[in-house]
Amino acid sequence: MSKRNFFRKGLVDGIPICLGYLSVSFAFGISAVQQGLTPWEALMISMTCVTSAGQFAAVPIITAQGSLIELAISQLIINLRYALMSISLSQKLDEGMTVPHRMAFGFINTDEVFAVASGQEGAVGKHYLYGLILTPWLGWSAGTILGALAGNILPAVVTSSLSVAIYGMFIAIVVPEMKASLSTTLCVCIAVALSCGFYFIPLLKTVPSGFVIIICACVASAAMALAAPIETEAMV
């Protein structure tokens, strides 16, 4: 397959993510403006920091004139899981993904992009990955500015319901993998059980949500890596 075809395939594979991001970033745009940011400030945040949970957490700190240290720590805790995703995905990257290309791709290595890239057969290269991140980035940015300009036009119940779309994307990505692999199903079940424990057990409820995500992902992955390891040949 030619470089252009790989890039085109990445663009096409990124369209579902792009469409899902439109609704979530639309809600972020409205929320950011309601909290005091201008539409263009909201857009710049989305164009330079593609992380839904991180952005929603950052805006109150910014509008309250919080310290840069507070902002940095909150983003580190919330987004640390992306480092784990990048380490995992690095095993599937071909030799053309040099350090500069890895850094560029890491800018938009979101949960959904990671899932789609990881699900590709064989090694993945820069042309496919650049196509894969371009459409979600455009969708995320476009949704933000549309939501920011919409302002208070939509009722609060509508804007709040838009945030549910991100969970619909997660389900659409995970369920097909669960149906195809018992190991994946067990891994998801372990993560869900741990997450419920952190939510319902009083002592564990004090753990920050960012750390909860990391702990659940690491424990579930480590458990299944020991119980049902994947052969090296099957990962490339």
Side-chain angles (χ1 to χ4, degrees):
M1 188 180 294
S2 66
K3 297 177 181 179
R4 180 177 298 180
N5 288 337
F6 274 119
F7 181 76
R8 185 182 297 113
K9 185 178 187 302
L11 287 175
V12 173
D13 289 349
I15 290 176
I17 302 176
C18 170
L19 296 177
Y21 279 0
L22 279 171
S23 58
V24 181
S25 59
F26 189 90
F28 169 75
I30 292 178
S31 174
V33 170
Q34 289 178 340
Q35 294 182 68
L37 296 184
T38 68
W40 306 114
E41 288 172 336
L43 175 61
M44 289 304 298
I45 290 176
S46 284
M47 293 182 68
T48 58
C49 181
V50 185
T51 161
S52 57
Q55 291 180 220
F56 276 103
V59 171
I61 298 176
I62 294 173
T63 55
Q65 298 183 353
S67 67
L68 292 177
I69 294 178
E70 180 182 0
L71 181 63
I73 292 176
S74 68
Q75 294 304 299
L76 175 64
I77 294 175
I78 293 172
N79 298 317
L80 192 57
R81 69 186 188 278
Y82 293 130
L84 303 177
M85 296 178 189
S86 297
I87 293 172
S88 175
L89 186 59
S90 66
Q91 301 176 74
K92 285 186 64 69
L93 303 180
D94 65 17
E95 296 180 354
M97 285 294 291
T98 58
V99 173
H101 292 301
R102 289 170 183 250
M103 294 176 65
F105 172 72
F107 169 60
I108 315 183
N109 184 21
T110 61
D111 305 72
E112 298 78 22
V113 170
F114 165 77
V116 173
S118 298
Q120 300 301 306
E121 293 185 5
V124 290
K126 58 185 178 182
H127 300 96
Y128 172 80
L129 293 176
Y130 280 134
L132 181 62
I133 65 176
L134 179 58
T135 38
W137 180 74
L138 292 175
W140 189 257
S141 301
T144 297
I145 190 60
L146 289 174
L149 293 175
N152 296 320
I153 296 177
L154 297 177
V157 65
V158 175
T159 58
S160 297
S161 64
L162 289 173
S163 61
V164 178
I166 191 71
Y167 301 104
M169 280 195 301
F170 290 152
I171 293 173
I173 291 172
V174 173
V175 169
E177 293 295 325
M178 293 175 62
K179 294 171 64 177
S181 171
L182 177 60
S183 297
T184 302
T185 302
L186 294 176
C187 185
V188 171
C189 290
I190 293 173
V192 170
L194 290 171
S195 181
C196 290
F198 279 103
Y199 185 82
F200 290 107
I201 299 176
L203 181 62
L204 299 179
K205 291 182 69 172
T206 59
V207 179
S209 59
F211 281 121
V212 171
I213 295 174
I214 295 170
I215 293 171
C216 292
C218 290
V219 172
S221 300
M224 292 312 302
L226 294 173
I230 300 176
E231 297 295 333
T232 304
E233 293 76 7
M235 300 179 63
V236 296

